[in-house]
Amino acid sequence: MKSSFLQKQISRREMLGWSTSLAGTALLTHFFSGRLFGASAAGYPQQTPSVADLLADMRAKFNAAPLKTQKLGEDVTMLSGPGGSVVVLNGPDGKFVVDTFVAPAWPRLEKALDALGNAPVKCVIDTHWHFDHADNNARLHATGAIVIAHENTTKRMSEPHDLPVLYRAANGALAGLHFDPSPVEALPQQTFSDRYELQANGETLVLQHVPPAHTDTDIYVHFEKANVIQMGDLFFNWMYPYIDPSTGGKITGTIAAVDKVLSLADKGTRIVAGHGPLGNKADLMRFRDMLVTSRDRVEKLKSAGKSAQEAVADKPFTDLEPVWGQGIINGEQWVQIVYLTL
């Protein structure tokens, strides 16, 4: 009998649409080093693009996705596309925005926010530090919004990040990646260590940090009255996720975070993934089943003394690939993510 997480059939067109906003990002490729893959730059152009060009290339690929609007409740709206998913609570107290897309999407994000009403943006909440979720912090802060995030998000955004691995640019060149510290105006102005609660527009927003999972900065945001939970990149719906080993990501922590949200959800809960379509409790349970199966299989190979390359060669995810491997990450890459984050 097939496991429950293999039951849903996803069209290639749908999956390609969800994957568009992921394509080209270092967050999904930077750990795939030549050392692990046995890769070489041979056959590719020797001239590599500048750091600025690489980052512009990544942002442009994210920004190629269309921006779509979906109502989740009377005052809660999901915007999806150029850098994952944004959730907006709108009302007389102002707009409360969770995540902010990539920088080139700003004109479309601004227009989409304005279309929801005349109330100003009062608060921005970052689910974690990655640029595709926090790129427009500074622009929204300049309009008067306060940015709230976990304290580790400020720490990570304040640091330079040299990624000792390779990124394939649009011209085929392979190059290392460097992220400068974010400007001061993009950093959160208010932080918390564990839990933070907001009351706005008749809604209670609970911001809850989880132990290292996708990164060590992750929170989920629970809109209690609307029965909506925004999980950021703790949840990739119907695709293998990215877990960032460079900033503390752990697959066991990701499973624990999913378990926490599952304990809060019921059949009517709308669960917003960092990437992928709007989900529900059944979708999140299938995602958890896939994570646990992946962890157990790779853990067994790693415990037997196999290297990451040897684990890849064993093809432990052949049965998962038809559903979960149709996004930006394939089964071979997912083996290595799990191996590195155990």
Side-chain angles (χ1 to χ4, degrees):
M1 180 180 295
K2 292 184 178 180
S3 299
S4 62
F5 52 84
L6 295 176
Q7 297 299 310
K8 185 172 180 179
Q9 296 300 310
I10 307 294
S11 75
R12 180 170 179 79
R13 178 176 295 180
E14 286 176 311
M15 186 56 72
L16 287 174
W18 300 330
S19 298
T20 298
S21 65
L22 296 174
T25 173
L27 302 181
L28 299 173
T29 58
H30 73 245
F31 52 89
F32 299 135
S33 67
R35 179 176 60 83
L36 283 178
F37 271 121
S40 168
Y44 293 100
Q46 294 302 305
Q47 184 175 1
T48 59
S50 68
V51 169
D53 287 342
L54 284 170
L55 295 177
D57 182 51
M58 289 187 288
R59 287 182 165 99
K61 286 177 177 175
F62 268 122
N63 195 43
L67 195 158
K68 299 180 180 179
T69 300
Q70 184 173 353
K71 293 288 288 184
L72 304 184
E74 183 179 354
D75 300 318
V76 180
T77 303
M78 182 176 80
L79 309 176
S80 60
S85 301
V86 169
V87 176
V88 184
L89 171 68
N90 183 45
D93 296 329
K95 298 185 181 83
F96 291 70
V97 179
V98 184
D99 288 345
T100 68
F101 291 148
V102 291
W106 169 246
R108 289 188 290 157
L109 175 59
E110 183 179 36
K111 183 177 179 180
L113 291 173
D114 288 345
L116 296 177
N118 295 325
V121 177
K122 287 294 186 69
C123 177
V124 172
I125 300 166
D126 291 336
T127 59
H128 61 292
W129 80 274
H130 285 155
F131 76 95
D132 52 320
H133 296 260
D135 239 4
N136 286 301
N137 280 6
R139 286 187 169 98
L140 286 165
H141 179 53
T143 70
I146 184 172
V147 180
I148 301 176
H150 187 262
E151 59 193 13
N152 286 349
T153 295
T154 299
K155 176 179 181 291
R156 295 300 189 184
M157 291 179 68
S158 300
E159 300 170 338
H161 291 275
D162 287 299
L163 306 177
V165 285
L166 302 175
Y167 169 75
R168 184 170 296 171
N171 68 354
L174 295 173
L177 283 169
H178 173 80
F179 287 89
D180 288 326
S182 298
V184 172
E185 56 269 23
L187 300 178
Q189 292 83 49
Q190 189 165 336
T191 63
F192 61 97
S193 61
D194 181 48
R195 175 187 167 98
Y196 191 88
E197 188 171 305
L198 288 168
Q199 301 287 335
N201 298 320
E203 177 65 87
T204 299
L205 288 75
V206 176
L207 287 57
Q208 180 64 58
H209 180 245
V210 298
H214 167 67
T215 67
D216 61 8
T217 70
D218 301 297
I219 67 169
Y220 62 82
V221 181
H222 189 185
F223 298 78
E224 291 188 333
K225 180 181 176 182
N227 198 15
V228 171
I229 302 175
Q230 160 68 305
M231 291 187 67
D233 283 357
L234 295 170
F235 180 28
F236 282 56
N237 199 11
W238 293 107
M239 61 183 78
Y240 292 132
Y242 175 66
I243 302 174
D244 183 356
S246 75
T247 52
K250 299 290 183 184
I251 189 167
T252 52
T254 303
I255 294 167
V258 168
D259 284 339
K260 174 63 176 177
V261 173
L262 284 170
S263 73
L264 299 173
D266 58 37
K267 290 183 179 179
T269 305
R270 275 70 54 84
I271 304 178
V272 179
H275 300 279
L278 179 66
N280 56 32
K281 187 171 184 176
D283 292 323
L284 187 59
M285 181 61 75
R286 293 184 187 97
F287 180 68
R288 180 196 185 278
D289 289 345
M290 181 276 292
L291 292 176
V292 170
T293 297
S294 300
R295 178 202 61 192
D296 292 349
R297 291 179 185 178
V298 176
E299 191 171 53
K300 184 177 180 180
L301 294 171
K302 192 171 184 177
S303 296
K306 296 202 172 187
S307 67
Q309 287 176 315
E310 290 168 333
V312 169
D314 275 6
K315 299 185 183 300
F317 301 148
T318 301
D319 58 325
L320 308 184
E321 199 72 1
V323 169
W324 300 97
Q326 303 307 304
I328 195 66
I329 291 180
N330 63 33
E332 292 187 354
Q333 295 164 336
W334 178 231
V335 172
Q336 296 196 57
I337 295 171
V338 176
Y339 191 99
L340 290 172
T341 60
L342 279 170

